[in-house]
């Protein structure tokens, strides 16, 4: 299965993270095609969170550019990848014009292609892991896709690596809530997810 549509263009991301984030719901995170033209893995984005530059106390960019967060400052349409707790990678789509420091955290995916290879990457026997647990969290989805620090700064708008695409699917109901898993900036409703979807992470 090769998802329909081209990678979303840079212009899609060149907006505030709070605008891009809900628009990413329902899009496909795609890995590939490889040298044989095959899609390796694909998952539908069902949960995201927005982080908004130096005015957001929970954003890594709040203090300005550093070696760790440089990718978060653009260009838009790149991937910002960082490590938390010394063990889990998190993947973010960089948004807004270059220099702003906005990004959207990909919190959960619904697997649609390559589930056995995702399960193998999660260090489980293929077929033994429940589908709703496979990518139901930011660390789980990066592990399932093999995303790590080497992907920091990669271009989501081109073929051949990681990209985000639109196959025309839309959610019947999208919920907006406050963000989770953080200790600052917990009062803004900048988390969006597909209502009733079993792949959404747990608060």
């Amino acid at each position: 299965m090769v998802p329909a549509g081209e990678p979303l263009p840079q212009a899609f991301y060149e907006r505030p993270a709070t605008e891009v984030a809900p628009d990413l719901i329902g899009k496909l995170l795609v890995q590939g095609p490889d040298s044989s033209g095959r899609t390796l893995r694909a998952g539908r984005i069902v949960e995201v969170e927005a982080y908004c530059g130096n005015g957001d106390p929970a954003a890594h960019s709040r203090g300005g550019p550093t070696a760790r967060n440089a990718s978060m400052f653009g260009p838009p349409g790149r991937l910002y990848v960082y490590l938390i707790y010394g063990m889990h990678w998190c993947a973010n789509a960089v948004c807004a014009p270059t220099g702003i420091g906005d990004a959207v955290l990909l919190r959960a995916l619904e697997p649609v292609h390559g589930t056995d290879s995702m399960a193998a990457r999660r260090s489980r026997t293929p077929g033994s892991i429940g589908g709703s647990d496979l990518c139901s969290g930011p660390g789980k989805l990066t592990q399932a896709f093999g995303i790590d620090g080497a992907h920091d700064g990669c271009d989501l708008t081109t073929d051949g690596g990681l990209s985000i695409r639109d196959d025309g699917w839309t959610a019947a109901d999208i919920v907006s809530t406050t963000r989770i898993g953080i200790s600052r900036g917990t009062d803004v409703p900048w988390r969006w997810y597909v209502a009733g979807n079993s792949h959404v992470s747990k608060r």
Side-chain angles (χ1 to χ4, degrees):
M1 184 277 294
V2 178
E6 298 296 319
L8 297 174
Q10 187 179 74
F12 173 90
Y13 301 97
E14 203 165 3
R15 301 176 289 151
T18 51
E19 295 181 14
V20 175
D23 288 348
L24 282 174
I25 293 292
K27 304 299 190 291
L28 291 171
L29 178 66
V30 177
Q31 194 167 44
D34 63 9
S35 59
S36 301
R38 298 173 301 177
T39 297
L40 302 178
R41 283 162 283 276
R44 193 170 305 285
I45 300 170
V46 295
E47 182 187 2
V48 295
E49 285 180 341
Y51 290 87
C52 298
N54 61 14
D56 181 355
H60 289 177
S61 53
R62 64 186 178 275
T66 66
R68 181 197 191 201
N69 69 15
S71 295
M72 196 174 177
F73 287 87
R78 300 298 175 91
L79 197 67
Y80 168 47
V81 182
Y82 62 87
L83 191 67
I84 57 171
Y85 309 128
M87 58 189 300
H88 298 302
W89 296 101
C90 293
N92 305 255
V94 175
C95 306
T98 298
I100 300 298
D102 277 21
V104 175
L105 173 64
L106 306 180
R107 281 204 59 92
L109 306 174
E110 179 177 344
V112 298
H113 179 74
T115 53
D116 280 354
S117 66
M118 291 184 199
R121 286 184 175 275
R122 293 280 318 278
S123 301
R124 309 284 184 90
T125 301
S128 69
I129 184 170
S132 63
D133 185 54
L134 198 53
C135 297
S136 59
K140 294 177 182 180
L141 72 86
T142 54
Q143 188 179 42
F145 273 68
I147 297 172
D148 58 22
H151 293 91
D152 183 48
C154 80
D155 192 346
L156 293 170
T157 69
T158 60
D159 280 319
L162 289 164
S163 61
I164 297 178
R165 302 172 183 242
D166 185 358
D167 67 347
W169 187 92
T170 57
D173 187 15
I174 298 176
V175 177
S176 173
T177 73
T178 53
R179 297 176 295 189
I180 62 177
I182 55 176
S183 58
R184 293 174 288 191
T186 58
D187 57 334
V188 290
W190 290 350
R191 172 182 175 237
W192 291 265
Y193 64 89
V194 177
N197 189 284
S198 62
H199 302 270
V200 171
S201 65
K202 303 299 186 288
R203 181 176 286 275

